[in-house]
Amino acid sequence: MIIDLRSDTVTRPTSGMLDAMFSAKVGDDVFGEDEAVNALEDKAASMFGMDSAMFCPSGTMTNQIAIKCFTQPLDEVIADETAHVYRYEGGGIAFNSSASVRLLNGDRGRLNPELIKSHINPDNVHHPKSSLVVLENTVNRGGGSIYTIGQIKPVADLCKAEGLKLHLDGARLFNALVETNDDPKEYGKLFDGISICLSKGLGAPVGSLLLGSKETIKYARRVRKVLGGGMRQAGFLAAAGIYALDNHIDRLKEDHRHAKMLGEVLTGLPFIKSVMPVDTNIVIFELDDTFPAEEFVIKLNEQNVKCNTFGHQMIRFVTHLDVNSEMIDQVINVLKKIDV
Ligand SMILES: *Cc1c(COP(=O)(O)O)cnc(C)c1O
């Protein structure tokens, strides 16, 4: 039995999800004729109180399309220095949007209005034009840290006052929502664009949605086409997404419980220097200098537990749909038996 804690992207479709996929009503989605894709887009948009949604193969694509929609060449995007849109999307902001990025040092990846305000450029020709703020919720490199809607509201107010667009990289937004119990419709009121991922904790094999106004999504469809992201009978994938939204949101709490259990055990181990607070399904910790992180990964691998390094002496564990309570007990046993 392999226990894969490398990412919440490694899940396989459940049998219920596969049934839903095989019975999907499909058509040509580039013609707007795929029933399952249309149903998924309508469902996601109305869930968040937004006009429209667009289905894409990946979260990278929905984020990059959003940035393209909300900037012009020579503009500047404001984001945390750990942001996925900056660190893990291959330099796409420069490539796709010809925009620069201002990186801020937030609290475990979370920005506040004062910090953002002090980095908005003055409106003169020397400076790129600040035009977009991107938040991430939950923050991957923040150890799954959460924004509440109460923390986002003042950021949205600032953006409105300063004429900036606001986009949310919500690859793991549902992990935040099951903890805060915030109303998803409030998100629709505050953001110009929202990306959600179906293939992280929700357990679908593929897929992300960009949510926005009618005009935004109309233009976004042009950008998706030019990137080669217009898929035809994509309803087989969309049906997995619908199934995930109906069945796999509430259970995310289980992943969070598992992550907290791992965090607690790690905190007590002699070769661990520090563990980031565990708020959702991500556990990031630092090993003592005497125990090289690469060696730690190999030792766990030998016991059928897969994980990755996440920076110098850092390790990340991610819990998900394909890790059950027995597996967590097994990981805890393995961790307790490690002798350095
Ligand atoms: C996974 C992830 C994405 C999207 O990644 P894809 O692999 O392109 O779907 C975006 N933002 C965050 C924070 C992520 O963790």
Side-chain angles (χ1 to χ4, degrees), residues 9 57-61 63 84 89 136 138 140 169 171-172 197 199-200 208:
T9 55
S58 73
T60 298
M61 188 179 275
N63 279 331
H84 192 282
E89 296 183 7
E136 192 172 304
T138 66
N140 177 17
D169 175 356
R172 294 193 181 83
C197 281
S199 66
K200 292 270 164 80
S208 174

Side-chain angles (χ1 to χ4, degrees), residues 37-38 40-46 50-56 194 196 208-214 217 220-221 224:
V37 171
N38 291 341
L40 172 64
E41 291 177 345
D42 290 348
K43 184 182 178 73
S46 71
M50 283 194 134
D51 290 347
S52 302
M54 177 181 69
F55 184 55
C56 283
I194 299 176
I196 57 170
S208 174
L209 288 142
L210 176 62
L211 319 178
S213 69
K214 263 201 180 66
I217 298 303
R221 288 188 191 282
R224 184 184 67 174

Side-chain angles (χ1 to χ4, degrees), residues 15-32:
S15 61
M17 184 178 278
L18 283 172
D19 287 345
M21 293 170 75
F22 279 117
S23 53
K25 292 208 169 61
V26 301
D28 190 325
D29 181 50
V30 177
F31 298 159

Side-chain angles (χ1 to χ4, degrees), residues 113 150-164 166 190:
Q151 291 167 316
I152 294 171
K153 181 85 174 32
V155 173
D157 289 344
L158 171 74
C159 290
K160 200 156 265 162
E162 298 285 341
L164 304 176
L166 183 60
L190 301 182

